[in-house]
Amino acid sequence: MNNFQNSLKNDVTIVKSMPKHGSYVVSSTKQLLTIKAYNDWNMETVFSYCQSFKEQASTLTHDNWSSLIDLSDWGLGPPEMLNELQKLNLWSEAHKQNYVAIITKCSLQQQFLIKSHQVFKETQAKFFDNEAEALSWLSDKIQAN
């Protein structure tokens, strides 16, 4: 038997993982966590994003903090991502996030993400179509505290 036939007799499992689709940048200053999302995401990107979000949010030095999430260059993600975003939102609220300003380019993104924000009990979330309005709202909210 040649080597090729021998290799066919061996039980071999091949696992391929799908590379991340889309990307994001997470940064923070003082009491503001800023996220910029790009392109369409798959679940691998969602898991990576949630981990990065938690790591960066954990570096904030203020007891209360806010998020600015810019989705103007983002497409969408799989429906399964909503469960992960709900978990992340619960974690955020438990870790003293007060406000979330989300910049979206279309109502489809907003409708897709509304369910993930329904888990908030105290955190206020609002959608915007531009960064200036989102930052103004956050600034007003932060100064009021």
Side-chain angles (χ1 to χ4, degrees):
M1 212 182 290
N2 66 33
N3 285 339
F4 178 74
Q5 289 173 326
N6 283 336
S7 68
L8 289 177
K9 290 188 177 196
N10 295 330
D11 287 333
V12 176
T13 302
I14 299 172
V15 178
K16 291 186 178 182
S17 63
M18 180 176 253
K20 287 195 303 187
H21 289 155
S23 61
Y24 57 87
V25 175
V26 180
S27 60
S28 61
T29 56
K30 296 183 183 181
Q31 64 193 92
L32 181 64
L33 189 68
T34 304
I35 296 95
K36 178 81 173 160
Y38 302 93
N39 304 317
D40 293 327
W41 288 6
N42 64 6
M43 285 307 293
E44 186 175 342
T45 307
V46 172
F47 293 133
S48 174
Y49 162 72
C50 290
Q51 182 63 34
S52 296
F53 182 103
K54 289 178 182 179
E55 287 172 6
Q56 194 67 34
S58 296
T59 68
L60 297 172
T61 57
H62 294 274
D63 287 337
N64 297 309
W65 53 279
S66 302
S67 295
L68 174 66
I69 303 172
D70 186 347
L71 304 177
S72 56
D73 292 323
W74 184 63
L76 284 174
E80 306 86 56
M81 82 179 283
L82 290 178
N83 186 44
E84 295 305 314
L85 293 179
Q86 286 177 332
K87 290 181 204 175
L88 182 62
N89 287 339
L90 289 170
W91 181 93
S92 298
E93 188 166 71
H95 288 83
K96 309 285 187 189
Q97 177 178 248
N98 287 346
Y99 306 104
V100 182
I102 307 105
I103 303 165
T104 60
K105 65 178 177 181
C106 68
S107 61
L108 182 58
Q109 289 174 330
Q110 184 174 339
Q111 293 304 315
F112 183 73
L113 295 173
I114 282 177
K115 288 183 183 179
S116 72
H117 294 96
Q118 290 174 345
V119 299
F120 287 137
K121 291 181 174 77
E122 296 179 19
T123 301
Q124 293 181 35
K126 189 169 179 180
F127 289 90
F128 298 90
D129 60 7
N130 66 71
E131 184 176 356
E133 289 179 9
L135 286 171
S136 177
W137 180 78
L138 283 174
S139 178
D140 290 346
K141 294 295 184 179
I142 291 169
Q143 287 179 6
N145 281 338

